[in-house]
């Protein structure tokens, strides 16, 4: 269970980092003709970052 939580936390951290890069470098994103607004990356950073921290906290509490 511990390894699963660490992998999950890492993946959510990468997603949050990708959204932060999008904001910093002003990368446009278009999905099926819909232009994704930049403010949506702020929401994604908050969500993915929270899940990342939660996963690593749970991994720290899980016995080896």
């Amino acid at each position: 269970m511990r390894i699963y939580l660490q992998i999950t936390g890492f993946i959510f951290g990468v997603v949050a980092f990708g959204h932060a890069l999008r904001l910093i470098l002003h990368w446009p994103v278009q999905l099926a003709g819909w232009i994704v607004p930049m403010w949506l990356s702020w929401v994604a950073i908050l969500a993915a970052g929270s899940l990342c921290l939660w996963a690593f906290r749970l991994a720290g509490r899980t016995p080896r």
Side-chain angles (χ1 to χ4, degrees):
M1 183 73 164
R2 183 182 179 104
I3 293 173
Y4 168 76
L5 290 169
Q6 290 173 337
I7 291 171
T8 302
F10 176 77
I11 290 170
F12 280 120
V14 168
V15 170
F17 182 72
H19 280 284
L21 276 178
R22 177 182 183 234
L23 289 172
I24 292 168
L25 300 175
H26 303 286
W27 288 340
V29 173
Q30 185 173 357
L31 296 171
W34 178 62
I35 298 173
V36 180
M38 294 297 260
W39 64 264
L40 201 54
S41 281
W42 287 106
V43 175
I45 288 172
L46 182 63
S50 297
L51 290 171
C52 173
L53 291 174
W54 187 23
F56 281 122
R57 282 186 179 179
L58 286 175
R61 293 183 195 168
T62 304
R64 291 182 178 204

